Amino acid sequence: MNLTFFKGMITGLILSLPFGPVGIYCMEKTLVEGQKEGYVSSLGMVTVDVIYGLTALLFINKIDDFIIKYECFLEIGISIFLLVVGLKKMSRKMKVKKIELDPVGIIQNYFTTFAVALANISSIFTIMVIFTTLRIFESEGHAVPFQVACGIFLGGAAEWFFTTFLLSHWRRTITEENLIKISRISGGLIFIFGIITLFHSFNKIFF
């Protein structure tokens, strides 16, 4: 594999650092429901990183105006979704699930994180900064988009596999009561992210 692929992997590793509401959601899923649920959830976010990475690479000159025009409305949509998810996690009666294969639940987890990450279209700016820093835009050749996409996906997938693996093993040392507390705390953090995002978007619109 050439240098462009490894630059894509670095991009995927940076984008998949377990911070932010989606990262918290995936970590909580791992602790409460198991590694498969948490890992598949994280792949929804990694998929969006690939989509936005290709968008930034192929349409860099056309996306700036679109993002600037609709960013506030997209942020409002994201914040409302985060508020709903956060409230549900804090208010519902939590029960730690036994680790078992649930294909329907796993698919739902994937598309939940995919939807939240997809709505955060302003993350393209972050990708553009990473691409500029790594000089990916200077790469030439028809295979560059494919190499970058594969690099981002493999980098993100590898990082989240390692993260969910560690969390799933840590899960065994924590009591069910503490796992439920962790789930409620994650709900509170997601709710706070929603409030901050909503405030930020309203601040842009009215001030």
Side-chain angles (χ1 to χ4, degrees), residues 19-205:
F19 303 118
V22 183
I24 291 172
Y25 177 81
C26 294
M27 289 190 289
E28 182 264 337
K29 277 287 179 185
T30 304
L31 286 170
V32 176
E33 299 185 21
Q35 184 181 5
K36 286 187 178 69
E37 285 76 4
Y39 184 60
V40 174
S41 296
S42 70
L43 290 181
M45 176 173 56
V46 174
T47 303
V48 173
D49 289 339
V50 173
I51 293 172
Y52 282 161
L54 288 174
T55 302
L57 190 65
L58 299 175
F59 305 104
I60 185 172
N61 295 324
K62 299 179 180 180
I63 60 177
D64 286 356
D65 292 338
F66 178 83
I67 294 175
I68 292 171
K69 186 176 181 180
Y70 296 105
E71 183 179 7
C72 291
F73 301 102
L74 291 168
E75 282 187 352
I76 291 173
I78 296 168
S79 62
I80 292 173
F81 186 86
L82 293 177
L83 290 172
V84 171
V85 172
L87 280 174
K88 281 186 176 181
K89 284 188 173 295
M90 288 188 294
S91 61
R92 75 180 179 183
K93 187 176 180 180
M94 281 297 306
K95 184 178 180 181
V96 177
K97 295 183 179 180
K98 293 181 180 179
I99 298 178
E100 56 186 16
L101 185 62
D102 180 11
V104 176
I106 287 177
I107 293 171
Q108 184 179 0
N109 291 339
Y110 173 87
F111 282 107
T112 297
T113 53
F114 181 89
V116 176
L118 190 67
N120 189 22
I121 194 171
S122 59
S123 63
I124 294 180
F125 284 129
T126 303
I127 295 173
M128 289 167 61
V129 170
I130 297 172
F131 280 2
T132 302
T133 303
L134 296 177
R135 297 185 177 181
I136 290 179
F137 291 125
E138 298 177 8
S139 302
E140 297 180 356
H142 297 295
V144 168
F146 176 76
Q147 292 166 351
V148 171
C150 288
I152 292 174
F153 186 82
L154 290 177
E159 181 169 325
W160 273 106
F161 180 83
F162 182 69
T163 301
T164 55
F165 176 81
L166 290 179
L167 288 173
S168 66
H169 282 72
W170 185 43
R171 179 186 198 267
R172 301 171 186 174
T173 66
I174 306 175
T175 63
E176 181 171 332
E177 182 181 352
N178 286 332
L179 286 172
I180 292 173
K181 287 180 180 179
I182 289 171
S183 181
R184 294 193 184 282
I185 290 171
S186 75
L189 291 173
I190 291 171
F191 186 79
I192 291 170
F193 272 113
I195 292 176
I196 293 172
T197 305
L198 189 64
F199 177 79
H200 183 258
S201 57
F202 281 147
N203 189 54
K204 282 183 179 180
I205 294 173

